Amino acid sequence: MQHKVTFIPGDGIGPEVAGATQRVLEATGVQFQWDDVVIGSQAQDMFGTALPQTALESIRKNRVALKGPVSTPIGSGFRSVNVALRQKLDLYACLRPYKIYPGTATIYKDVDIVVVRENTEDLYAGIEFAKDGLRTKELLDFVFDATGERVKEDSAVDLRLISQAASKRIVKFAFDYARQNSRRKVTTYHKANILKFSDGLFLDIAREVAKEYPDIEFTDVLLDAACMQLVRRPEQFDVIVLPNFYGDFISDLCAGLIGGLGLAPGANMGDDMAVFEAAHGSVPKYAGQNKANPMAMMLSGVMMLQYLGERNSAERLGKAIAEVIAEGKNVTYDLNPDNPVGTSQVADAVVESLKQGGK
Ligand code: NAD
């Protein structure tokens, strides 16, 4: 069976790591028909919009996309198309597995954590009020009327949105994932002691949903304490479910535990479609240098094969990547700083390893 998949190369290191991933996916023998689309600054230049309708329509039609990282201008310029894509397609769950592969130089041994991050709201909902903006003054006046609190006039404001419905579906997603994947525990991190309404709501809902899953343990930890515990004893955590903003930081922290972002895959999932992309960004400083590690993207490809029902190929590709990491000869600078190879040589090695494993 041939799978139609939207392909977004991205920018920076995107085209290299996404291209390498296409190569190894095709080497599994699974048939793909790629529908290439561009988003981000390239699309802005070509079509006058960073997120063209054609890209969204392609994903809606194919229901599956493989996406390289896309840069977001800092401070000014267009808003993150990565965030916009997740919101527009209602890809509400960001699923990121972090595990240590034998051969990786890391001080930890037993990390096997899955972060489930809410993808559509929180501080990333994009409702912002600029300093000195016309509407900002109205908002600050409203806050004064409603609360009696006088916010400094020269303030900028971002709204933090945590809804009951979005919290419920992400926590349910985490518990369902745990059950389907024989995981024993779901944990949430929060600051419900300080953010009594937003994090308080998320925590109340998590406790409520947990009652529907008596076979899975549920724990909650204050976010600051959790950061310390995660670094000291990461093996105590299993599935971690988080609101969007905390999920961003905890994801990168977990990547640090397993040897870096070059090994951190991910998927953005909705009820009936999914976009597979690495947890890392576009690393502009290494763009076009055949230097970046394509394995996070390749492992996202493994997740995509699983999603497409190609379980045997997913297993073989996962094994081939693990073998290349374990051997340690054909890996990039982040895994072997003394004697690294380039992005495309990693792809060669994974294709070779796949051949050795037999089709
Ligand atoms: P980044 O993930 O691009 O890079 C951080 C550092 O991690 C790099 O300097 C590099 O040392 C290391 N790294 C990351 N991926 C690597 C890889 N595959 N191989 C080897 N080393 C790797 O984060 P950043 O510098 O904060 O962001 C750069 C750009 O990427 C920004 O424009 C940001 O908005 C964008 N971004 C996009 C996405 C996405 O497309 N989903 C996600 C995060 C950041």
Side-chain angles (χ1 to χ4, degrees), residues 67 69-72 82 86 277 280-283 285 293 333:
K67 173 185 169 296
V70 176
S71 308
T72 307
N82 306 306
R86 297 164 196 164
E277 65 174 341
H280 62 71
S282 57
V283 198
K285 65 183 176 189
N293 188 349
Y333 79 97

Side-chain angles (χ1 to χ4, degrees), residues 1-5 25 28-33 62-64 305 307-310 313:
M1 179 192 173
Q2 192 184 52
H3 299 284
K4 281 190 182 171
V5 175
L25 282 169
T28 64
V30 174
Q31 302 285 310
F32 294 99
Q33 188 185 327
N62 296 323
R63 311 247 152 229
V64 185
L305 287 173
Y307 184 81
L308 291 170
E310 300 285 358
S313 297

Side-chain angles (χ1 to χ4, degrees), residues 16-28 290 292-295 298 316-317 319-321 323-325 327 329-332 340-357 359:
E16 296 161 81
V17 294
T21 300
Q22 263 186 324
R23 260 192 74 201
V24 300
L25 282 169
E26 283 174 354
T28 64
N290 193 34
N293 188 349
M295 281 168 165
M298 289 177 178
R316 284 193 303 115
L317 180 55
K319 197 162 154 264
I321 296 167
E323 279 171 8
V324 172
I325 298 172
E327 199 192 23
K329 276 201 253 159
N330 292 296
V331 292
T332 44
V341 301
T343 312
S344 57
Q345 286 73 37
V346 175
D348 294 341
V350 173
V351 170
E352 193 50 41
S353 177
L354 261 172
K355 279 190 198 148
Q356 303 297 325
K359 283 194 176 168

Side-chain angles (χ1 to χ4, degrees), residues 198-213:
S198 52
D199 274 9
L201 178 63
F202 194 90
L203 179 60
D204 282 350
I205 286 164
R207 285 180 172 151
E208 221 27 62
V209 170
K211 288 182 195 154
E212 295 168 30
Y213 299 81

